[in-house]
Amino acid sequence: MSHPQEGSYINNKELDLVKAEYLKFTEFLCSVIGENKFKKSKFWFYQKQLSDFSKLDLVSQSKLLAVINKYGRLMPIFSGDMDFLKHNLLKLVSGSHSFSNLEEEHNDFYFEFDMALRYLLCKEQKNINITSECDVIIDDDIAIECKFLHGESGFEQNIRKANNQIITRIEDGLAKRGFISIDISHLVSKKEIQDFIDSIFIEFLEQYKNLGVSIEDAQSQIPHNKNFKKIVQGYVNQKIEYYYHKAKNTYVQFNLDSKVIGVFYQYEDVFLLDSDEYATCLPIRIGCYDMNDKYILNNPSIDKDELKKEFHSLATGI
């Protein structure tokens, strides 16, 4: 399936909502950094691209939506009572005026905000601290050190560094335990996932058409079909588990401290559902975890099932 199809255009019903959330974020950002600085930033570039959205080719549309979806989603952090460090927000502003910038340093700081957001959106209210030396601290109990991996070669170095940082946070009295959070989006093959989604989408589309549903309506309904979501989410889960353990296997002495609960790892991207007439973006943000056996053995009073539930509460899907 050729994605830069000239006859295709993105018709998500949620598109206006994604745009609105992003514009709220940029309005807030402009109020913090000033209009002059804002208009020199990548966020102004994205905003101008949004105004010319229909003129972009399909691939550029999907990449732009992936970017604005990420940043617009952060707004609950800045619209509530949570304190944040302005200099960390300013680090988000850095970066080139392009849609594909996973290699750049600002992703590290975005990921810290993103991890805090996971806890902010949990059903259980938590005290979230993102103003200390630690990336994120929950309830003065759990220290979270976040690492955005820029390649498989950095896996061992980042895990070791985060493990040592958590020990330091505990020794400094900032927390009692902790876990490592890593983003492995850069390690996973997007093509493999897109090819799989294409094959499943085509099959679902044919079924909808056979039932008399128009292509445009089918395009809107399939992303919300629970069976479609379950199939895609299961495949992506398996893929990110595979790529995580593949990287882990290169780490000869993978040895976490007994006060480190484990590793939470996430994957995030946006994929296309393209029928050659219409196209829909499918955002996917999935988290998995790898629990540290040493932590469980050294803490017999810990309820392992409850711990699993807490990790599950952080994970999101399609």
Side-chain angles (χ1 to χ4, degrees):
M1 184 176 290
S2 175
H3 293 296
Q5 195 75 21
E6 289 184 5
S8 302
Y9 64 92
I10 290 174
N11 70 333
N12 289 53
K13 290 182 179 178
E14 296 87 355
L15 182 57
D16 289 341
L17 177 62
V18 173
K19 286 181 179 179
E21 287 179 340
Y22 177 73
L23 292 176
K24 282 181 186 176
F25 171 75
T26 56
E27 185 179 343
F28 161 76
L29 187 64
C30 189
S31 71
V32 174
I33 68 175
E35 187 175 356
N36 287 338
K37 193 164 188 176
F38 173 73
K39 288 193 171 180
K40 293 177 183 177
S41 75
K42 63 190 178 194
F43 295 109
W44 177 242
F45 166 74
Y46 300 147
Q47 193 162 313
K48 287 193 295 181
Q49 294 298 306
L50 267 180
S51 63
D52 293 325
F53 189 76
S54 61
K55 297 177 183 177
L56 299 174
D57 63 62
L58 187 56
V59 171
S60 296
Q61 286 182 351
S62 67
K63 287 181 177 180
L64 176 59
L65 285 180
V67 170
I68 68 168
N69 183 53
K70 279 174 54 173
Y71 289 106
R73 192 176 63 233
L74 294 180
M75 198 55 210
I77 290 178
F78 307 115
S79 59
D81 298 326
M82 189 187 301
D83 291 330
F84 62 91
L85 296 176
K86 182 179 176 181
H87 69 261
N88 281 348
L89 178 63
L90 292 176
K91 288 170 184 174
L92 287 184
V93 180
S94 66
S96 59
H97 293 195
S98 69
F99 302 137
S100 302
N101 50 26
L102 286 178
E103 299 86 359
E104 297 177 1
E105 189 182 4
H106 60 84
N107 289 289
D108 303 343
F109 303 101
Y110 164 79
F111 185 40
E112 294 172 17
F113 283 119
D114 189 53
M115 195 64 214
L117 182 68
R118 285 184 182 272
Y119 271 98
L120 185 64
L121 299 180
C122 280
K123 290 180 181 177
E124 279 188 54
Q125 192 169 1
K126 303 282 188 180
N127 176 32
I128 306 165
N129 181 354
I130 54 174
T131 61
S132 72
E133 287 298 311
C134 185
D135 292 338
V136 184
I137 295 179
I138 305 299
D139 291 337
D140 297 325
D141 176 35
I142 300 175
I144 307 171
E145 290 295 345
C146 305
K147 306 297 175 191
F148 186 95
L149 302 190
H150 298 273
E152 191 175 298
S153 60
F155 182 87
E156 180 175 346
Q157 177 187 353
N158 279 285
I159 293 291
R160 186 187 295 114
K161 181 179 180 181
N163 182 73
N164 293 337
Q165 286 175 323
I166 290 171
I167 295 168
T168 300
R169 309 310 177 211
I170 294 170
E171 290 173 348
D172 290 345
L174 295 176
K176 300 178 182 67
R177 54 191 178 141
F179 68 83
I180 299 164
S181 182
I182 59 175
D183 187 296
I184 62 169
S185 302
H186 215 47
L187 275 61
V188 179
S189 168
K190 179 171 183 174
K191 183 180 183 303
E192 290 174 0
I193 297 175
Q194 182 68 69
D195 288 347
F196 178 80
I197 290 174
D198 284 348
S199 65
I200 300 301
F201 174 66
I202 290 169
E203 187 170 339
F204 270 73
L205 187 63
E206 286 302 315
Q207 292 173 4
Y208 273 70
K209 284 161 63 179
N210 290 338
L211 293 172
V213 180
S214 70
I215 293 178
E216 185 173 8
D217 286 344
Q219 191 88 41
S220 298
Q221 294 172 25
I222 291 173
H224 303 286
N225 182 298
K226 64 180 181 180
N227 294 315
F228 178 81
K229 290 167 71 174
K230 191 182 294 184
I231 292 168
V232 172
Q233 190 164 327
Y235 179 81
V236 177
N237 263 324
Q238 176 58 32
K239 273 294 176 189
I240 68 171
E241 286 184 23
Y242 163 71
Y243 278 100
Y244 167 78
H245 286 285
K246 180 172 175 279
K248 182 181 175 180
N249 287 344
T250 66
Y251 192 165
V252 179
Q253 294 181 323
F254 189 88
N255 185 28
L256 300 181
D257 187 85
S258 61
K259 291 184 179 178
V260 176
I261 302 166
V263 180
F264 179 87
Y265 53 100
Q266 79 160 29
Y267 172 80
E268 178 176 13
D269 212 329
V270 171
F271 296 87
L272 280 171
L273 305 179
D274 183 8
S275 66
D276 294 340
E277 291 182 50
Y278 306 99
T280 306
C281 275
L282 186 72
I284 295 178
R285 179 170 172 256
I286 288 180
C288 297
Y289 59 90
D290 180 17
M291 292 181 68
N292 180 14
D293 291 336
K294 193 189 295 185
Y295 173 81
I296 301 299
L297 288 171
N298 286 3
N299 296 275
S301 62
I302 291 292
D303 187 328
K304 190 174 180 180
D305 290 333
E306 283 300 312
L307 201 56
K308 285 181 178 180
K309 282 181 186 177
E310 182 162 351
F311 274 123
H312 275 299
S313 72
L314 299 176
T316 51
I318 296 171

